[in-house]
Amino acid sequence: MTSAPPDYTLAGNESEVRSMYFRIFQLYFADRAFPFENSDEQLINRILDEVTRYIKPDDERLRETKRIAIRFTIAIWLGRLQHGHVISNDDVDAFLLPNDQLNERTHQLTAYVEQLVMQLFPTLTAEDAHREGRYVVMGFFSIGVGVEMNRRENMTPLFMNMLAAFIQIVDTHYNKLFNAHLTVLEQDAFFEVFFELMVAAVTSPTPDEGRNRVRLDAAYEQFPLMAELALAVIDDVAERRHLDITLARGAFFEVLYTGFASIFDMHQVFPKIKVALDINYQIGLESILTDMILGMRAMNIEISEYIDDDTDILISDINNSNIPAENTFIWTSMPTSLEFEQLRRRMNVVKADKFEKMHGIKLRYEAR
């Protein structure tokens, strides 16, 4: 819990305070301005260069979003230490292995941070420096840094078991929705996708409901089944951890939803939509439309030249009495972006309808 006493000095859970500052600075400043003194900025940039060498020792380029995130993490960390605010709990110890068990690069980075604390803030104790070094490394992990450092090697069995338990919850709801279980490859992919989410839950345990705006309408337009799965998982976890469901959805929906959509094979989880593509004297147009339609990641599509009993969508230059008007698209030339969007939306509705009939369920929100 964080509070503001009469002198407006932020106090309480120090990791929560730092996380709050990070979200504010990242959102409102990014690379447009740097809200620190020039002398501080020079020191921060030197530390950034040094930290980058531990993260990417082969002089690989650091993505701009990661560079900005690391820079603000360092700036906030230094600012809080300058004002005497240190991490006062050992929560990180339950999830990050002891320093002598960390892999080489992570151990070197932790040692560098500890030495820096003792050099810049000699009044702090060795215990403070030790704790800060470990917190900073976990902070980097929580913002997506550390994949190159084989970050999973540095986590305790407790943390890995927590992550495995979370993936088991995903598997349970995946099975309820799709009558199948996660493959080994999908489970391994989830370890990486949700690693940062779990680390962030350690470094800042209060859900950040403002992190992402929940756009259920957009989610159900694109990947309605992934949105359904994300809501089921979040509501389950919120009930287990006694979290407010609305706040939990705001904090975690976008991460889970996009994570699911990026990992699952749409041909395995989505019902097939059969499209008849038959436009007279337009072989070139048919070829282009085939590529465009098959490029829709959110669909499981089969394209045929023929109209069959199981055809769902017709794209042609003539109508056919066997295909409903709402599923018929008369295109004699290249469709406009609006026309193609109308096709995508209609296919999304067909996909959701077929899924509901196939599994005998009703999605929480209508696909549009």
Side-chain angles (χ1 to χ4, degrees):
M1 184 71 177
T2 299
S3 61
D7 63 355
Y8 297 102
T9 300
L10 286 174
N13 186 317
E14 179 60 19
S15 61
E16 295 277 14
V17 173
R18 296 182 188 185
S19 295
M20 180 200 68
Y21 273 124
F22 178 82
R23 292 193 287 265
I24 292 173
F25 290 158
Q26 176 111 319
L27 177 63
Y28 292 105
F29 294 100
D31 66 339
R32 293 183 293 274
F34 200 60
F36 299 92
E37 298 291 339
N38 288 338
S39 57
D40 290 335
E41 183 174 1
Q42 293 171 8
L43 173 60
I44 291 164
N45 287 337
R46 287 200 302 272
I47 297 173
L48 172 62
D49 290 341
E50 191 66 29
V51 166
T52 302
R53 279 192 281 273
Y54 288 107
I55 297 170
K56 290 189 174 285
D58 299 324
D59 292 328
E60 297 177 42
R61 290 184 63 185
L62 192 66
R63 291 171 57 177
E64 187 64 12
T65 51
K66 292 290 185 286
R67 186 190 68 80
I68 292 172
I70 295 172
R71 192 178 188 222
F72 277 127
T73 299
I74 294 169
I76 294 164
W77 169 67
L78 284 176
R80 295 299 290 176
L81 290 182
Q82 287 170 351
H83 289 87
H85 301 286
V86 297
I87 296 295
S88 59
N89 59 63
D90 298 307
D91 292 346
V92 167
D93 290 346
F95 305 106
L96 189 66
L97 289 171
N99 286 6
D100 60 359
Q101 296 179 34
L102 300 175
N103 65 27
E104 183 178 3
R105 285 166 63 185
T106 307
H107 183 271
Q108 290 174 347
L109 177 57
T110 306
Y112 166 72
V113 175
E114 284 190 36
Q115 292 169 7
L116 195 62
V117 171
M118 297 302 292
Q119 175 189 339
L120 297 176
F121 308 99
T123 58
L124 295 182
T125 67
E127 182 181 353
D128 288 331
H130 174 80
R131 192 179 290 120
E132 290 290 339
R134 293 171 59 76
Y135 170 83
V136 168
V137 168
M138 282 287 277
F140 287 157
F141 286 173
S142 74
I143 58 175
V145 175
V147 176
E148 305 89 345
M149 300 167 65
N150 298 317
R151 56 191 181 181
R152 274 203 258 176
E153 296 177 357
N154 302 292
M155 311 310 293
T156 63
L158 173 62
F159 177 88
M160 298 305 289
N161 289 338
M162 286 174 55
L163 191 49
F166 175 74
I167 293 173
Q168 182 57 53
I169 293 174
V170 173
D171 181 72
T172 298
H173 290 281
Y174 181 86
N175 185 44
K176 287 180 181 179
L177 199 57
F178 300 111
N179 296 322
H181 289 282
L182 301 177
T183 66
V184 174
L185 288 176
E186 287 169 341
Q187 291 184 41
D188 191 63
F190 278 131
F191 265 95
E192 285 302 330
V193 170
F194 298 133
F195 184 94
E196 294 149 28
L197 186 67
M198 296 297 288
V199 173
V202 174
T203 58
S204 180
T206 301
D208 173 21
E209 69 276 11
R211 183 180 303 166
N212 294 294
R213 186 160 58 107
V214 178
R215 291 286 308 276
L216 291 178
D217 55 345
Y220 273 81
E221 272 185 23
Q222 293 284 346
F223 296 92
L225 306 183
M226 301 299 98
E228 192 80 4
L229 178 60
L231 289 177
V233 171
I234 291 170
D235 292 356
D236 187 348
V237 172
E239 182 177 353
R240 292 167 186 253
R241 296 190 58 187
H242 308 292
L243 301 174
D244 181 279
I245 288 180
T246 301
L247 298 185
R249 288 182 178 184
F252 306 125
F253 177 79
E254 193 65 23
V255 176
L256 295 184
Y257 163 68
T258 55
F260 294 153
S262 70
I263 289 173
F264 291 131
D265 182 350
M266 301 307 151
H267 292 85
Q268 295 293 325
V269 299
F270 287 169
K272 182 178 293 182
I273 298 176
K274 191 168 182 180
V275 177
L277 181 56
D278 182 14
I279 305 174
N280 272 322
Y281 314 116
Q282 287 280 20
I283 296 177
L285 178 58
E286 288 181 342
S287 177
I288 293 171
L289 290 176
T290 296
D291 289 342
M292 293 173 67
I293 293 169
L294 292 179
M296 295 182 183
R297 175 169 172 77
M299 307 289 177
N300 176 10
I301 299 171
E302 177 185 313
I303 295 182
S304 172
E305 299 175 341
Y306 306 103
I307 301 173
D308 300 311
D309 292 340
D310 59 348
T311 295
D312 298 301
I313 299 287
L314 171 63
I315 301 174
S316 183
D317 55 344
I318 57 173
N319 284 293
N320 185 284
S321 59
N322 294 322
I323 307 300
E326 63 269 22
N327 290 350
T328 300
F329 294 80
I330 303 300
W331 290 347
T332 58
S333 59
M334 185 70 72
T336 65
S337 58
L338 176 59
E339 290 171 332
F340 197 79
E341 173 62 14
Q342 290 170 338
L343 169 66
R344 189 199 64 76
R345 285 174 178 260
R346 185 58 199 166
M347 292 173 73
N348 203 49
V349 171
V350 171
K351 173 182 67 179
D353 288 346
K354 293 184 77 170
F355 182 85
E356 289 179 339
K357 291 176 183 177
M358 183 185 303
H359 294 278
I361 65 171
K362 182 68 177 176
L363 298 180
R364 307 184 194 202
Y365 298 87
E366 289 188 6
R368 294 183 296 171

PDB file of all heavy atoms in Angstrom, residues 230-258:
ATOM      1  N   ALA A 230      -9.200 -15.514 -22.491  1.00  0.00           N
ATOM      2  CA  ALA A 230      -8.513 -14.566 -21.605  1.00  0.00           C
ATOM      3  C   ALA A 230      -9.412 -14.163 -20.440  1.00  0.00           C
ATOM      4  O   ALA A 230      -8.971 -14.126 -19.281  1.00  0.00           O
ATOM      5  CB  ALA A 230      -8.069 -13.334 -22.390  1.00  0.00           C
ATOM      6  N   LEU A 231     -10.680 -13.867 -20.712  1.00  0.00           N
ATOM      7  CA  LEU A 231     -11.600 -13.482 -19.648  1.00  0.00           C
ATOM      8  C   LEU A 231     -11.805 -14.625 -18.657  1.00  0.00           C
ATOM      9  O   LEU A 231     -11.849 -14.405 -17.440  1.00  0.00           O
ATOM     10  CB  LEU A 231     -12.948 -13.062 -20.245  1.00  0.00           C
ATOM     11  CG  LEU A 231     -12.964 -11.730 -21.005  1.00  0.00           C
ATOM     12  CD1 LEU A 231     -14.348 -11.482 -21.607  1.00  0.00           C
ATOM     13  CD2 LEU A 231     -12.569 -10.571 -20.098  1.00  0.00           C
ATOM     14  N   ALA A 232     -11.916 -15.848 -19.169  1.00  0.00           N
ATOM     15  CA  ALA A 232     -12.115 -16.997 -18.288  1.00  0.00           C
ATOM     16  C   ALA A 232     -10.924 -17.187 -17.354  1.00  0.00           C
ATOM     17  O   ALA A 232     -11.090 -17.437 -16.147  1.00  0.00           O
ATOM     18  CB  ALA A 232     -12.346 -18.254 -19.126  1.00  0.00           C
ATOM     19  N   VAL A 233      -9.711 -17.059 -17.895  1.00  0.00           N
ATOM     20  CA  VAL A 233      -8.503 -17.233 -17.083  1.00  0.00           C
ATOM     21  C   VAL A 233      -8.387 -16.120 -16.042  1.00  0.00           C
ATOM     22  O   VAL A 233      -8.105 -16.373 -14.864  1.00  0.00           O
ATOM     23  CB  VAL A 233      -7.252 -17.267 -17.983  1.00  0.00           C
ATOM     24  CG1 VAL A 233      -5.975 -17.219 -17.133  1.00  0.00           C
ATOM     25  CG2 VAL A 233      -7.254 -18.527 -18.851  1.00  0.00           C
ATOM     26  N   ILE A 234      -8.605 -14.871 -16.474  1.00  0.00           N
ATOM     27  CA  ILE A 234      -8.474 -13.740 -15.551  1.00  0.00           C
ATOM     28  C   ILE A 234      -9.490 -13.846 -14.424  1.00  0.00           C
ATOM     29  O   ILE A 234      -9.161 -13.635 -13.251  1.00  0.00           O
ATOM     30  CB  ILE A 234      -8.652 -12.411 -16.310  1.00  0.00           C
ATOM     31  CG1 ILE A 234      -7.475 -12.173 -17.249  1.00  0.00           C
ATOM     32  CG2 ILE A 234      -8.776 -11.239 -15.330  1.00  0.00           C
ATOM     33  CD1 ILE A 234      -7.669 -11.024 -18.210  1.00  0.00           C
ATOM     34  N   ASP A 235     -10.724 -14.153 -14.755  1.00  0.00           N
ATOM     35  CA  ASP A 235     -11.762 -14.241 -13.724  1.00  0.00           C
ATOM     36  C   ASP A 235     -11.452 -15.355 -12.733  1.00  0.00           C
ATOM     37  O   ASP A 235     -11.696 -15.216 -11.526  1.00  0.00           O
ATOM     38  CB  ASP A 235     -13.128 -14.468 -14.372  1.00  0.00           C
ATOM     39  CG  ASP A 235     -13.598 -13.265 -15.173  1.00  0.00           C
ATOM     40  OD1 ASP A 235     -12.894 -12.226 -15.159  1.00  0.00           O
ATOM     41  OD2 ASP A 235     -14.656 -13.359 -15.830  1.00  0.00           O
ATOM     42  N   ASP A 236     -10.896 -16.459 -13.230  1.00  0.00           N
ATOM     43  CA  ASP A 236     -10.510 -17.573 -12.353  1.00  0.00           C
ATOM     44  C   ASP A 236      -9.388 -17.140 -11.401  1.00  0.00           C
ATOM     45  O   ASP A 236      -9.470 -17.342 -10.181  1.00  0.00           O
ATOM     46  CB  ASP A 236     -10.059 -18.752 -13.214  1.00  0.00           C
ATOM     47  CG  ASP A 236      -9.802 -20.015 -12.392  1.00  0.00           C
ATOM     48  OD1 ASP A 236      -9.743 -19.933 -11.149  1.00  0.00           O
ATOM     49  OD2 ASP A 236      -9.642 -21.095 -13.000  1.00  0.00           O
ATOM     50  N   VAL A 237      -8.331 -16.524 -11.962  1.00  0.00           N
ATOM     51  CA  VAL A 237      -7.204 -16.087 -11.139  1.00  0.00           C
ATOM     52  C   VAL A 237      -7.648 -15.012 -10.141  1.00  0.00           C
ATOM     53  O   VAL A 237      -7.228 -15.028  -8.968  1.00  0.00           O
ATOM     54  CB  VAL A 237      -6.058 -15.552 -12.028  1.00  0.00           C
ATOM     55  CG1 VAL A 237      -4.958 -14.924 -11.173  1.00  0.00           C
ATOM     56  CG2 VAL A 237      -5.474 -16.679 -12.886  1.00  0.00           C
ATOM     57  N   ALA A 238      -8.509 -14.095 -10.583  1.00  0.00           N
ATOM     58  CA  ALA A 238      -8.996 -13.035  -9.688  1.00  0.00           C
ATOM     59  C   ALA A 238      -9.749 -13.631  -8.503  1.00  0.00           C
ATOM     60  O   ALA A 238      -9.598 -13.181  -7.360  1.00  0.00           O
ATOM     61  CB  ALA A 238      -9.896 -12.074 -10.463  1.00  0.00           C
ATOM     62  N   GLU A 239     -10.540 -14.667  -8.756  1.00  0.00           N
ATOM     63  CA  GLU A 239     -11.288 -15.319  -7.675  1.00  0.00           C
ATOM     64  C   GLU A 239     -10.332 -16.028  -6.715  1.00  0.00           C
ATOM     65  O   GLU A 239     -10.485 -15.941  -5.490  1.00  0.00           O
ATOM     66  CB  GLU A 239     -12.279 -16.319  -8.258  1.00  0.00           C
ATOM     67  CG  GLU A 239     -13.136 -16.997  -7.203  1.00  0.00           C
ATOM     68  CD  GLU A 239     -14.171 -17.931  -7.803  1.00  0.00           C
ATOM     69  OE1 GLU A 239     -14.310 -17.960  -9.049  1.00  0.00           O
ATOM     70  OE2 GLU A 239     -14.845 -18.649  -7.027  1.00  0.00           O
ATOM     71  N   ARG A 240      -9.307 -16.690  -7.282  1.00  0.00           N
ATOM     72  CA  ARG A 240      -8.354 -17.409  -6.431  1.00  0.00           C
ATOM     73  C   ARG A 240      -7.550 -16.453  -5.548  1.00  0.00           C
ATOM     74  O   ARG A 240      -7.226 -16.770  -4.408  1.00  0.00           O
ATOM     75  CB  ARG A 240      -7.397 -18.226  -7.295  1.00  0.00           C
ATOM     76  CG  ARG A 240      -8.024 -19.404  -8.028  1.00  0.00           C
ATOM     77  CD  ARG A 240      -7.074 -19.943  -9.074  1.00  0.00           C
ATOM     78  NE  ARG A 240      -7.659 -20.970  -9.904  1.00  0.00           N
ATOM     79  CZ  ARG A 240      -7.373 -22.266  -9.843  1.00  0.00           C
ATOM     80  NH1 ARG A 240      -6.494 -22.699  -8.960  1.00  0.00           N
ATOM     81  NH2 ARG A 240      -7.950 -23.131 -10.652  1.00  0.00           N
ATOM     82  N   ARG A 241      -7.185 -15.285  -6.117  1.00  0.00           N
ATOM     83  CA  ARG A 241      -6.331 -14.333  -5.391  1.00  0.00           C
ATOM     84  C   ARG A 241      -7.126 -13.210  -4.737  1.00  0.00           C
ATOM     85  O   ARG A 241      -6.553 -12.265  -4.210  1.00  0.00           O
ATOM     86  CB  ARG A 241      -5.287 -13.737  -6.342  1.00  0.00           C
ATOM     87  CG  ARG A 241      -4.303 -14.754  -6.891  1.00  0.00           C
ATOM     88  CD  ARG A 241      -3.164 -14.065  -7.609  1.00  0.00           C
ATOM     89  NE  ARG A 241      -2.449 -13.143  -6.740  1.00  0.00           N
ATOM     90  CZ  ARG A 241      -1.498 -12.309  -7.156  1.00  0.00           C
ATOM     91  NH1 ARG A 241      -1.164 -12.280  -8.435  1.00  0.00           N
ATOM     92  NH2 ARG A 241      -0.892 -11.503  -6.309  1.00  0.00           N
ATOM     93  N   HIS A 242      -8.457 -13.308  -4.808  1.00  0.00           N
ATOM     94  CA  HIS A 242      -9.334 -12.313  -4.190  1.00  0.00           C
ATOM     95  C   HIS A 242      -9.073 -10.909  -4.748  1.00  0.00           C
ATOM     96  O   HIS A 242      -8.997  -9.927  -3.998  1.00  0.00           O
ATOM     97  CB  HIS A 242      -9.169 -12.318  -2.663  1.00  0.00           C
ATOM     98  CG  HIS A 242      -9.323 -13.683  -2.049  1.00  0.00           C
ATOM     99  ND1 HIS A 242     -10.523 -14.374  -2.013  1.00  0.00           N
ATOM    100  CD2 HIS A 242      -8.394 -14.513  -1.490  1.00  0.00           C
ATOM    101  CE1 HIS A 242     -10.344 -15.553  -1.437  1.00  0.00           C
ATOM    102  NE2 HIS A 242      -9.069 -15.667  -1.117  1.00  0.00           N
ATOM    103  N   LEU A 243      -8.934 -10.832  -6.074  1.00  0.00           N
ATOM    104  CA  LEU A 243      -8.734  -9.556  -6.744  1.00  0.00           C
ATOM    105  C   LEU A 243     -10.056  -9.047  -7.290  1.00  0.00           C
ATOM    106  O   LEU A 243     -10.955  -9.828  -7.608  1.00  0.00           O
ATOM    107  CB  LEU A 243      -7.735  -9.707  -7.901  1.00  0.00           C
ATOM    108  CG  LEU A 243      -6.336 -10.219  -7.579  1.00  0.00           C
ATOM    109  CD1 LEU A 243      -5.557 -10.436  -8.871  1.00  0.00           C
ATOM    110  CD2 LEU A 243      -5.609  -9.241  -6.674  1.00  0.00           C
ATOM    111  N   ASP A 244     -10.173  -7.745  -7.413  1.00  0.00           N
ATOM    112  CA  ASP A 244     -11.328  -7.148  -8.080  1.00  0.00           C
ATOM    113  C   ASP A 244     -11.276  -7.528  -9.567  1.00  0.00           C
ATOM    114  O   ASP A 244     -10.278  -7.268 -10.245  1.00  0.00           O
ATOM    115  CB  ASP A 244     -11.296  -5.626  -7.920  1.00  0.00           C
ATOM    116  CG  ASP A 244     -12.498  -4.960  -8.576  1.00  0.00           C
ATOM    117  OD1 ASP A 244     -12.449  -4.776  -9.810  1.00  0.00           O
ATOM    118  OD2 ASP A 244     -13.450  -4.635  -7.874  1.00  0.00           O
ATOM    119  N   ILE A 245     -12.325  -8.138 -10.074  1.00  0.00           N
ATOM    120  CA  ILE A 245     -12.307  -8.652 -11.447  1.00  0.00           C
ATOM    121  C   ILE A 245     -12.106  -7.529 -12.457  1.00  0.00           C
ATOM    122  O   ILE A 245     -11.352  -7.676 -13.429  1.00  0.00           O
ATOM    123  CB  ILE A 245     -13.607  -9.427 -11.752  1.00  0.00           C
ATOM    124  CG1 ILE A 245     -13.594 -10.766 -11.007  1.00  0.00           C
ATOM    125  CG2 ILE A 245     -13.761  -9.671 -13.252  1.00  0.00           C
ATOM    126  CD1 ILE A 245     -14.831 -11.614 -11.230  1.00  0.00           C
ATOM    127  N   THR A 246     -12.759  -6.396 -12.239  1.00  0.00           N
ATOM    128  CA  THR A 246     -12.620  -5.281 -13.183  1.00  0.00           C
ATOM    129  C   THR A 246     -11.186  -4.787 -13.234  1.00  0.00           C
ATOM    130  O   THR A 246     -10.637  -4.537 -14.321  1.00  0.00           O
ATOM    131  CB  THR A 246     -13.561  -4.125 -12.791  1.00  0.00           C
ATOM    132  OG1 THR A 246     -14.917  -4.598 -12.788  1.00  0.00           O
ATOM    133  CG2 THR A 246     -13.427  -2.975 -13.776  1.00  0.00           C
ATOM    134  N   LEU A 247     -10.555  -4.643 -12.068  1.00  0.00           N
ATOM    135  CA  LEU A 247      -9.169  -4.198 -12.027  1.00  0.00           C
ATOM    136  C   LEU A 247      -8.249  -5.240 -12.656  1.00  0.00           C
ATOM    137  O   LEU A 247      -7.307  -4.905 -13.374  1.00  0.00           O
ATOM    138  CB  LEU A 247      -8.733  -3.925 -10.584  1.00  0.00           C
ATOM    139  CG  LEU A 247      -9.493  -2.828  -9.833  1.00  0.00           C
ATOM    140  CD1 LEU A 247      -8.867  -2.598  -8.461  1.00  0.00           C
ATOM    141  CD2 LEU A 247      -9.512  -1.526 -10.628  1.00  0.00           C
ATOM    142  N   ALA A 248      -8.503  -6.506 -12.378  1.00  0.00           N
ATOM    143  CA  ALA A 248      -7.672  -7.579 -12.929  1.00  0.00           C
ATOM    144  C   ALA A 248      -7.776  -7.617 -14.451  1.00  0.00           C
ATOM    145  O   ALA A 248      -6.776  -7.800 -15.152  1.00  0.00           O
ATOM    146  CB  ALA A 248      -8.079  -8.920 -12.329  1.00  0.00           C
ATOM    147  N   ARG A 249      -8.966  -7.431 -14.960  1.00  0.00           N
ATOM    148  CA  ARG A 249      -9.128  -7.409 -16.421  1.00  0.00           C
ATOM    149  C   ARG A 249      -8.357  -6.246 -17.026  1.00  0.00           C
ATOM    150  O   ARG A 249      -7.714  -6.384 -18.071  1.00  0.00           O
ATOM    151  CB  ARG A 249     -10.609  -7.315 -16.792  1.00  0.00           C
ATOM    152  CG  ARG A 249     -11.398  -8.585 -16.544  1.00  0.00           C
ATOM    153  CD  ARG A 249     -12.847  -8.422 -16.983  1.00  0.00           C
ATOM    154  NE  ARG A 249     -13.615  -9.659 -16.798  1.00  0.00           N
ATOM    155  CZ  ARG A 249     -14.883  -9.801 -17.167  1.00  0.00           C
ATOM    156  NH1 ARG A 249     -15.523  -8.778 -17.724  1.00  0.00           N
ATOM    157  NH2 ARG A 249     -15.504 -10.946 -16.974  1.00  0.00           N
ATOM    158  N   GLY A 250      -8.437  -5.089 -16.383  1.00  0.00           N
ATOM    159  CA  GLY A 250      -7.711  -3.930 -16.895  1.00  0.00           C
ATOM    160  C   GLY A 250      -6.216  -4.142 -16.903  1.00  0.00           C
ATOM    161  O   GLY A 250      -5.505  -3.669 -17.793  1.00  0.00           O
ATOM    162  N   ALA A 251      -5.719  -4.884 -15.923  1.00  0.00           N
ATOM    163  CA  ALA A 251      -4.276  -5.078 -15.809  1.00  0.00           C
ATOM    164  C   ALA A 251      -3.757  -6.167 -16.730  1.00  0.00           C
ATOM    165  O   ALA A 251      -2.644  -6.061 -17.263  1.00  0.00           O
ATOM    166  CB  ALA A 251      -3.914  -5.410 -14.363  1.00  0.00           C
ATOM    167  N   PHE A 252      -4.552  -7.221 -16.935  1.00  0.00           N
ATOM    168  CA  PHE A 252      -3.990  -8.415 -17.565  1.00  0.00           C
ATOM    169  C   PHE A 252      -4.637  -8.828 -18.885  1.00  0.00           C
ATOM    170  O   PHE A 252      -4.090  -9.680 -19.589  1.00  0.00           O
ATOM    171  CB  PHE A 252      -4.083  -9.602 -16.591  1.00  0.00           C
ATOM    172  CG  PHE A 252      -3.464  -9.337 -15.256  1.00  0.00           C
ATOM    173  CD1 PHE A 252      -4.186  -9.495 -14.086  1.00  0.00           C
ATOM    174  CD2 PHE A 252      -2.149  -8.904 -15.165  1.00  0.00           C
ATOM    175  CE1 PHE A 252      -3.613  -9.240 -12.850  1.00  0.00           C
ATOM    176  CE2 PHE A 252      -1.568  -8.639 -13.931  1.00  0.00           C
ATOM    177  CZ  PHE A 252      -2.298  -8.812 -12.773  1.00  0.00           C
ATOM    178  N   PHE A 253      -5.780  -8.251 -19.236  1.00  0.00           N
ATOM    179  CA  PHE A 253      -6.490  -8.760 -20.415  1.00  0.00           C
ATOM    180  C   PHE A 253      -5.659  -8.671 -21.690  1.00  0.00           C
ATOM    181  O   PHE A 253      -5.530  -9.643 -22.433  1.00  0.00           O
ATOM    182  CB  PHE A 253      -7.817  -8.011 -20.621  1.00  0.00           C
ATOM    183  CG  PHE A 253      -8.551  -8.458 -21.867  1.00  0.00           C
ATOM    184  CD1 PHE A 253      -9.285  -9.635 -21.862  1.00  0.00           C
ATOM    185  CD2 PHE A 253      -8.477  -7.717 -23.039  1.00  0.00           C
ATOM    186  CE1 PHE A 253      -9.949 -10.063 -23.012  1.00  0.00           C
ATOM    187  CE2 PHE A 253      -9.119  -8.141 -24.183  1.00  0.00           C
ATOM    188  CZ  PHE A 253      -9.865  -9.317 -24.166  1.00  0.00           C
ATOM    189  N   GLU A 254      -5.091  -7.507 -21.955  1.00  0.00           N
ATOM    190  CA  GLU A 254      -4.393  -7.324 -23.229  1.00  0.00           C
ATOM    191  C   GLU A 254      -3.194  -8.264 -23.352  1.00  0.00           C
ATOM    192  O   GLU A 254      -2.924  -8.811 -24.436  1.00  0.00           O
ATOM    193  CB  GLU A 254      -3.942  -5.867 -23.378  1.00  0.00           C
ATOM    194  CG  GLU A 254      -3.479  -5.491 -24.778  1.00  0.00           C
ATOM    195  CD  GLU A 254      -4.590  -5.554 -25.809  1.00  0.00           C
ATOM    196  OE1 GLU A 254      -5.778  -5.453 -25.437  1.00  0.00           O
ATOM    197  OE2 GLU A 254      -4.263  -5.727 -27.005  1.00  0.00           O
ATOM    198  N   VAL A 255      -2.481  -8.461 -22.246  1.00  0.00           N
ATOM    199  CA  VAL A 255      -1.313  -9.343 -22.282  1.00  0.00           C
ATOM    200  C   VAL A 255      -1.732 -10.779 -22.583  1.00  0.00           C
ATOM    201  O   VAL A 255      -1.134 -11.460 -23.429  1.00  0.00           O
ATOM    202  CB  VAL A 255      -0.548  -9.286 -20.947  1.00  0.00           C
ATOM    203  CG1 VAL A 255       0.611 -10.271 -20.951  1.00  0.00           C
ATOM    204  CG2 VAL A 255      -0.034  -7.875 -20.686  1.00  0.00           C
ATOM    205  N   LEU A 256      -2.767 -11.252 -21.893  1.00  0.00           N
ATOM    206  CA  LEU A 256      -3.215 -12.629 -22.105  1.00  0.00           C
ATOM    207  C   LEU A 256      -3.834 -12.795 -23.488  1.00  0.00           C
ATOM    208  O   LEU A 256      -3.540 -13.766 -24.204  1.00  0.00           O
ATOM    209  CB  LEU A 256      -4.230 -13.027 -21.031  1.00  0.00           C
ATOM    210  CG  LEU A 256      -3.719 -13.092 -19.594  1.00  0.00           C
ATOM    211  CD1 LEU A 256      -4.829 -13.593 -18.673  1.00  0.00           C
ATOM    212  CD2 LEU A 256      -2.518 -13.998 -19.476  1.00  0.00           C
ATOM    213  N   TYR A 257      -4.689 -11.878 -23.851  1.00  0.00           N
ATOM    214  CA  TYR A 257      -5.396 -11.970 -25.132  1.00  0.00           C
ATOM    215  C   TYR A 257      -4.426 -12.021 -26.312  1.00  0.00           C
ATOM    216  O   TYR A 257      -4.510 -12.905 -27.174  1.00  0.00           O
ATOM    217  CB  TYR A 257      -6.346 -10.777 -25.243  1.00  0.00           C
ATOM    218  CG  TYR A 257      -6.850 -10.469 -26.629  1.00  0.00           C
ATOM    219  CD1 TYR A 257      -7.715 -11.341 -27.287  1.00  0.00           C
ATOM    220  CD2 TYR A 257      -6.481  -9.283 -27.274  1.00  0.00           C
ATOM    221  CE1 TYR A 257      -8.187 -11.042 -28.556  1.00  0.00           C
ATOM    222  CE2 TYR A 257      -6.952  -8.991 -28.531  1.00  0.00           C
ATOM    223  CZ  TYR A 257      -7.800  -9.867 -29.175  1.00  0.00           C
ATOM    224  OH  TYR A 257      -8.263  -9.579 -30.432  1.00  0.00           O
ATOM    225  N   THR A 258      -3.486 -11.089 -26.350  1.00  0.00           N
ATOM    226  CA  THR A 258      -2.534 -11.079 -27.457  1.00  0.00           C
ATOM    227  C   THR A 258      -1.562 -12.252 -27.360  1.00  0.00           C
ATOM    228  O   THR A 258      -1.110 -12.784 -28.375  1.00  0.00           O
ATOM    229  CB  THR A 258      -1.749  -9.762 -27.506  1.00  0.00           C
ATOM    230  OG1 THR A 258      -1.115  -9.521 -26.231  1.00  0.00           O
ATOM    231  CG2 THR A 258      -2.664  -8.597 -27.828  1.00  0.00           C
TER     232      THR A 258
END
